[in-house]
Amino acid sequence: MTAAPAGPGADPWPEVVVADLYKGFGRHRVLTGVHLEVPAGSFISVLGPSGSGKTTLLRVLAGFERPDRGTVAIAGRTVDDGRRHVPPEQRRIGYVSQEGSLFPHLTVGANVAFGLPRHQRHGQVGDLLDAVGLSGLAGRYPHQLSGGQQQRVALARALAVKPRVVLLDEPFASLDAHLRATVRADVHSVLRAAGTTTVLVTHDQDEALSLSDQVAVIRNGTIAQLGPPQDIYADPVDSELACFVGDANLVEGVFDGTFVATALGRFEVSANLGEATPGPVTVLVRPEQVQVQAEVRSGGDRTGVAAQVISTAFYGHDSIVRLAAVAGAQAPIVARLLGQVGLVAGSGVRLTARGPVKIWPVKIWPVKTWVAEDGPAKDRPAQDGPVPAARGDDAVLPADC
């Protein structure tokens, strides 16, 4: 699997290579054939829900867990292949956990210096604390720091040994929303300046999309999609992944080979068609693509499809509007609009949307066997070709986001 371009000035060769990796605990399979390459100097996020295997993958990279099968290489050196196992302290990695795991009885300076030879401690500790914005705090103890400051100390300690790779295990999850955004931006800047290859595991989509050169979405123990954040969001491999990485409207459409017709309008289709061929398709319309106009009672512009507001939620920078489902939609339509909107529940609106859109072919049911009232079992004849799964009693509908 080829990685996306790394960060500015990065070496294009992979710093981390994972091949055919399997790991289970008892009968429970956690990782099932993971392949991953991380270019030197890049920042990659492994994004997945709880139980998807992302933390187990990070622990295998660190050497805390042994894989059942497969190989792990760091900086061109095989560190685990079933026969050879390089211990964590010899892998030249830095590890930052969710809690930070500082030694409570040691000062900030002593925590940072913990893994350094004695002759390197004096000057290097001050430089590292300067880099993470904590100059002058070397004499404090962890309990005298905020949560964000503790995480910066943990990062400084991880960088002290000059690692080839830094592994971040959801280090911002326990911080409040405002502090989390600030600390992760600062941490990202420090790692960029150091040119350190970084692997972050997270379940936070915003975090993964905003920080990363690449995002690897892990699902059911394997990498479902790997690519730049823009591709993961705009060109997901299937509707389930589309719903996981962000809010999504899934609507039925008919693809003519160039454009797709839906209840929201006729759209240009994104360049990557995958297996889509002319016929019924599932269409992805992101909330920011939906445009909402108040219904005009008489005269005026009546472009678009009629809908009714279910609810609105104001977030300052934007508003989320939920609208009663239009024909062909599998759930209420969600629109993301800039700033405050003058819409209330129950009001009538008209909807349009902007393309291009992502499509996937609708699954087709095979010919089934049925029992006629007056005879033996026989094949149900197909009428006008196969029946798309989005029709009939046995329809397989797109995932409900």
Side-chain angles (χ1 to χ4, degrees), residues 302-317:
R302 295 182 63 81
T303 303
V305 61
Q308 189 175 57
V309 175
I310 298 174
S311 64
T312 63
F314 177 60
Y315 293 97
H317 45 73

Side-chain angles (χ1 to χ4, degrees), residues 252-263:
E252 296 173 2
V254 177
F255 181 48
D256 65 7
T258 305
F259 296 92
V260 61
T262 74

